[in-house]
Amino acid sequence: MMAGPGGESPAGGGPARHIPVLLREVLEALHPLEGHSFIDGTFGAGGYTTALLEAGGSVTAIDRDPTAIAAGQALVDKWDGRLRLVENRFSRLDEVVDAPVDGVVLDIGVSSMQIDEAVRGFSFQKEGPLDMRMERTGLSAADVVNTMKAGDLARIFGILGEERQAGRIARGLERLRTEKPFETTLDLANAVEKIVGRRPQEKIHPATRVFQGLRIYVNDELGELARALFAAERALKPGGRLVVVTFHSLEDRIVKRFMAERAGGSGGSRHLPQVHEAAPLFQKPAKSVSPSKEETDVNPRARSARLRLAVRTDAPAGDVDFDIVGLSRFPRPTRAGER
C-alpha cells in the first residue's frame, strides 16, 4: 500500500508502482520464523505477504478491494496451502483466523494500483469517474461533494485533508455544483483550482488535500484503522507482534495513541486517589522507524512513511474504547431512495 501525506501528492501518484515500503524494517519488526502465522491486513500487491512466505511463514491476507484479491490468486497457487486470501475489511481481521497469530502487519492507505488506475477515481491527474471507493460499493466521492452541506464538506477537507482553505473551497463547490454536478476527477480538481487559484511556482496541486480528505472519508479509513487495531489485539498470541506502517499524521497519531494507551501509558494523576490499573495489553512500544534516504530516492512515495511496533502481552484483550484514539465524527450523506 502506498499513501502520501496531505502535503504530498498521494492522489497524483508518481513513477513508482507496487514497491512495499519499509520492507526490510517490517521483516525485522515481525521477526518471521518458519512455521509462524501472520495476518497481512492490507494485501495490496502482496509485497509483505510474499516476503513472509519466503521466510517460511503462513499468511492470511486480507483486502477490501476485489481487484487486489483477484490479482493475488496466482500467489495462492504458488505457495500451495500457506497463503489464504480473504476479501474483507481489515477491521474484521480477528474474524478470519481460527487461532491466535504470531504477527499482524497493516500498511495504511490507498495502494499504488488504485492510484494509477484512472477508472478508480483516486487521482486528480487522471480523468476518471469521481469514485474513490475501495470496495466499489456505497457512497462515492461524487455523492459526497454533490450532496453534503458546505459546513460538513469543510470539516472533511479541513480535518481529514488538513486543508487550510477548507471553508472557502467547500462554499465554492456548493455554489458551483448548482450549475453542474461534479462527475469526474478533473471536474473537481479544476473547480478547486478555480476557487483558490494556483501560483506558477507551486508544486503541489491545490486539490491534493481535498482529494485526500474525500478518499479518507468515503472509505472511513481512520475508523477502519481504529477498529483494526482492536481486532489485532484480539488476534495476536502472547508475544505476537503488531506492525503498522502509516503515511500521514492522522493515521500515525491514532496508532501512537493506541499503542501507548494499551501499554498502560495513561499513568493517572498523583493528585487523584489511586485506582487499580489493568494489566498492559502490549509492551511499551518501540521507537518509530522512518525510511532511509536510499529507499526514498528509489521510491518517493515512501517519504512520509513511519513504522510502529508493539508486542502483545499475555493479558486478555480489553474492551473497545474509541476515545483513546481520538476519532472525529462526521455525518453520512444519503442518496435518493436511501434512509
Side-chain angles (χ1 to χ4, degrees):
M1 305 289 280
M2 309 282 169
E8 299 298 336
S9 184
R17 278 181 65 101
H18 314 327
I19 302 174
V21 172
L22 290 166
L23 178 59
R24 176 177 59 83
E25 292 84 353
V26 165
L27 291 178
E28 289 177 355
L30 286 172
H31 193 55
L33 298 174
E34 187 170 352
H36 278 188
S37 59
F38 299 93
I39 297 175
D40 181 350
T42 46
F43 175 69
Y48 295 153
T49 286
T50 299
L52 291 169
L53 291 166
E54 290 173 345
S58 61
V59 181
T60 298
I62 305 169
D63 206 294
R64 64 194 291 188
D65 186 344
T67 303
I69 296 297
Q73 290 305 315
L75 276 180
V76 175
D77 298 336
K78 176 180 178 180
W79 292 99
D80 191 26
R82 285 203 284 128
L83 170 61
R84 186 165 67 101
L85 286 184
V86 180
E87 183 182 332
N88 209 330
R89 297 186 174 203
F90 66 8
S91 59
R92 301 169 184 159
L93 62 85
D94 61 318
E95 301 173 10
V96 303
V97 290
D98 297 324
V101 297
D102 295 286
V104 173
V105 59
L106 304 175
D107 184 357
I108 309 305
V110 66
S111 75
S112 298
M113 295 181 296
Q114 293 163 339
I115 290 172
D116 294 337
E117 293 176 9
V119 71
R120 304 302 299 274
F122 287 99
S123 174
F124 54 75
Q125 294 184 353
K126 303 175 189 294
E127 177 73 62
L130 190 55
D131 195 326
M132 302 192 191
R133 296 171 297 176
M134 293 182 183
E135 293 164 304
R136 305 193 181 191
T137 61
L139 291 161
S140 69
D143 295 322
V144 175
V145 296
N146 287 317
T147 63
M148 292 190 76
K149 297 176 181 178
D152 293 330
L153 288 176
R155 291 189 71 235
I156 291 171
F157 302 155
I159 296 174
L160 301 182
E162 301 174 300
E163 170 55 59
R164 295 178 180 178
Q165 300 194 66
R168 180 182 174 189
I169 292 171
R171 292 188 296 273
L173 295 179
E174 187 178 52
R175 181 181 69 254
L176 290 173
R177 74 191 185 194
T178 62
E179 303 169 7
K180 182 181 181 296
F182 302 107
E183 298 178 351
T184 71
T185 52
L186 292 188
D187 283 347
L188 180 59
N190 292 337
V192 174
E193 186 171 358
K194 178 180 178 181
I195 293 166
V196 300
R198 185 181 188 183
R199 292 189 294 272
Q201 66 271 27
E202 285 183 317
K203 295 181 179 180
I204 299 173
H205 193 283
T208 298
R209 295 179 179 89
V210 169
F211 270 65
Q212 173 183 296
L214 278 174
R215 190 203 78 223
I216 293 173
Y217 176 80
V218 165
N219 297 291
D220 188 23
E221 291 180 26
L222 300 187
E224 283 293 296
L225 170 58
R227 288 185 283 272
L229 295 173
F230 289 108
E233 181 181 287
R234 296 189 294 270
L236 286 166
K237 62 177 60 172
R241 292 166 172 256
L242 171 60
V243 175
V244 188
V245 177
T246 60
F247 291 83
H248 61 65
S249 59
L250 293 172
E251 302 160 345
D252 184 59
R253 191 178 304 123
I254 288 173
V255 177
K256 182 179 180 180
R257 290 182 61 169
F258 172 84
M259 290 181 173
E261 289 290 335
R262 292 315 227 193
S266 294
S269 169
R270 63 186 179 90
H271 300 294
L272 296 176
Q274 291 294 315
V275 296
H276 175 71
E277 293 186 3
L281 304 172
F282 286 88
Q283 297 175 20
K284 183 179 179 180
K287 185 178 180 180
S288 66
V289 176
S290 299
S292 65
K293 183 179 184 301
E294 290 74 18
E295 178 170 3
T296 57
D297 286 345
V298 173
N299 180 15
R301 284 179 176 168
R303 282 192 298 266
S304 60
R306 179 167 292 185
L307 180 154
R308 292 191 183 273
L309 162 69
V311 179
R312 190 73 168 83
T313 68
D314 59 2
D319 295 332
V320 174
D321 180 4
F322 291 111
D323 288 340
I324 70 173
V325 295
L327 279 180
S328 298
R329 299 184 182 277
F330 298 88
R332 302 297 296 182
T334 57
R335 293 184 293 182
E338 292 184 344
R339 293 184 181 275

